[in-house]
Amino acid sequence: MKDPSLRLVLISTPIGALGSGRGGGVELTLRSLAQGLVMRQHQLTLIAPRGSQRPVGCDAVELVEVDGVDQPSWQHASEAASVEIPRNAVLPRLLDAALQRADNADALLNFGYDWLPLWVTPHLQQPLFHLISMGAVTTVMGEAIEALGRWDQRRLAFHTARQAADFELPNPPCVVGNGFNLEAYRFQAATGGPLGWAGRIAPEKGLEDAALVAVALGERLLVWGLLEDETYAAAVEAAVPPGTIEWRGFLPTEHLQRDLGACRALINTPKWNEAYGNVVVEAMACGVPVIAYDRGGPGELIVPGENGLLVPPDDVSALADAVRRCGDIDRSDCRRWAERNASQQVFSRRVEAWISAGLAADGNITALK
């Protein structure tokens, strides 16, 4: 017997148009999940800021574009920051557009990390689920997620257990990981390439430590990512010898995976509790081992000796030593780990099971197998 199809309304991040890069890893997560759910024959409506792009392969997905001012990211807010909703903000308009279509849907799925969607959830007749994309970066957001967890934790899912541990929840968390279209990442077996680093160019990503590793090893460091903080980038470059950093910019997946796959190792240096670590898995999908601080999501994704190596957080010397040893890792094992744990298919099945179980508990739909 065929499993029933879900009718889902996906609510994109309010930080920027889907495809702009301003939404960071949430954009990649949403795009990949939409593609996976379409392959599993679910019916989707995507609510996103004006200028958004429909994910490739999702021609049947209804894209509803909403005008409004981008929401500030909580990522760089102080711990005591208050809730802020700009004048003419896109966030409430995204919710309004989603609720207008909720009567014809089984559930709404929110990707935006913000206070308003969390607060409104218990007040809605329509079931609203949340894929939480960050840890407890501020007190008010931590409290909002914990309050919703006390009301009905089945509405919450997290990328990693380490991320979920930021919150006091009444029950063990639902961890769904993340997923990627692995067909878009070509495995490269060569082991003698340069060192790489990828991510938003911002202080919490710790690029300066990776640059110091390159200096210690007398090598250059290829850097990919959205330039979010120009002052920070200039300071990192000024602190190392000229030519140490080679800026490669923010590239589409097709070009990123080609260049990243030629590296002999990806250095990952989070200074905060990274919820997952998309670039970690993107590198593994290309066969590139990842050398990372044992902090946040990357510390949960890396199996030492199989797909990378972990070192104590903020220990640059240990990071350099681990890079020297990365040649012992079989690059095909990196790819196999990604196929087992982080494919589009694996991710979409986990999310499907989470939402279906929550709906079944509400009496709305029979749980999928």
Side-chain angles (χ1 to χ4, degrees):
M1 179 178 178
K2 183 183 181 297
D3 289 333
S5 171
L6 289 171
R7 297 166 300 168
L8 301 174
V9 176
L10 309 184
I11 308 171
S12 184
T13 171
I15 294 176
L18 186 61
S20 68
R22 295 195 301 276
V26 176
E27 292 190 33
L28 181 60
T29 297
L30 192 158
R31 185 166 62 245
S32 179
L33 181 59
Q35 292 167 338
L37 291 172
V38 165
M39 287 190 290
R40 295 184 65 76
Q41 300 183 330
H42 298 298
Q43 302 172 44
L44 308 181
T45 298
L46 173 58
I47 314 294
R50 179 71 62 188
S52 291
Q53 301 171 11
R54 184 184 284 106
V56 174
C58 293
D59 293 344
V61 174
E62 179 189 9
L63 173 62
V64 179
E65 297 181 77
V66 178
D67 292 309
V69 176
D70 288 353
Q71 191 72 8
S73 174
W74 286 95
Q75 192 146 21
H76 304 119
S78 67
E79 185 176 350
S82 300
V83 174
E84 177 183 348
I85 300 179
R87 184 168 179 245
N88 299 321
V90 74
L91 174 59
R93 296 178 182 182
L94 290 172
L95 289 171
D96 185 55
L99 291 172
Q100 289 178 26
R101 291 156 179 81
D103 289 343
N104 296 318
D106 296 305
L108 314 178
L109 175 55
N110 171 51
F111 291 81
Y113 184 94
D114 220 296
W115 178 87
L116 182 59
L118 295 163
W119 176 84
V120 79
T121 300
H123 305 283
L124 300 176
Q125 290 185 336
Q126 301 89 344
L128 174 56
F129 293 79
H130 303 267
L131 181 53
I132 304 298
S133 60
M134 289 191 285
V137 293
T138 66
T139 299
V140 69
M141 279 301 295
E143 290 175 346
I145 291 168
E146 290 170 354
L148 184 55
R150 290 191 296 271
W151 177 75
D152 187 351
Q153 192 178 316
R154 293 167 300 187
R155 300 298 183 87
L156 301 173
F158 302 87
H159 290 294
T160 60
R162 291 192 179 197
Q163 172 206 10
D166 266 9
F167 308 99
E168 293 186 8
L169 301 170
N171 301 300
C174 176
V175 175
V176 296
N178 212 336
F180 303 81
N181 175 14
L182 297 181
E183 292 182 0
Y185 298 86
R186 181 172 62 87
F187 173 75
Q188 297 189 45
T191 60
L195 300 176
W197 185 97
R200 285 179 300 101
I201 315 301
E204 70 273 10
K205 297 294 188 176
L207 171 59
E208 65 271 23
D209 288 6
L212 290 175
V213 168
V215 172
L217 299 178
E219 300 188 44
R220 63 189 173 120
L221 179 70
L222 309 187
V223 174
W224 296 273
L226 185 71
L227 180 54
E228 189 171 88
D229 189 328
E230 293 185 12
T231 301
Y232 168 73
V236 171
E237 187 168 34
V240 296
T244 299
I245 296 176
E246 185 175 321
W247 303 101
R248 292 295 185 93
F250 179 72
L251 301 181
T253 298
E254 177 186 358
H255 302 299
L256 173 63
Q257 64 86 28
R258 180 194 62 203
D259 296 348
L260 180 58
C263 291
R264 79 171 186 281
L266 177 78
I267 302 175
N268 188 253
T269 48
K271 295 289 185 177
W272 70 318
N273 185 23
E274 194 84 56
Y276 188 74
N278 287 347
V279 296
V280 169
V281 177
E282 289 186 282
M284 293 175 187
C286 298
V288 179
V290 181
I291 314 303
Y293 288 149
D294 191 1
R295 174 185 278 142
E300 196 168 312
L301 304 176
I302 294 170
V303 181
E306 179 180 340
N307 55 14
L309 294 167
L310 294 171
V311 304
D314 308 320
D315 190 335
V316 175
S317 295
L319 201 62
D321 289 341
V323 170
R324 293 186 182 96
R325 294 184 281 117
C326 71
D328 295 335
I329 295 171
D330 187 336
R331 291 171 71 97
S332 60
D333 286 342
C334 299
R335 173 72 184 199
R336 281 192 286 267
W337 184 95
E339 291 171 343
R340 290 195 309 270
N341 297 281
S343 70
Q344 239 173 14
Q345 294 83 357
V346 169
F347 183 40
S348 58
R349 282 199 301 268
R350 289 171 179 162
V351 172
E352 176 189 272
W354 159 49
I355 293 176
S356 297
L359 291 175
D362 287 344
N364 292 341
I365 195 169
T366 301
L368 299 180
K369 301 295 183 182

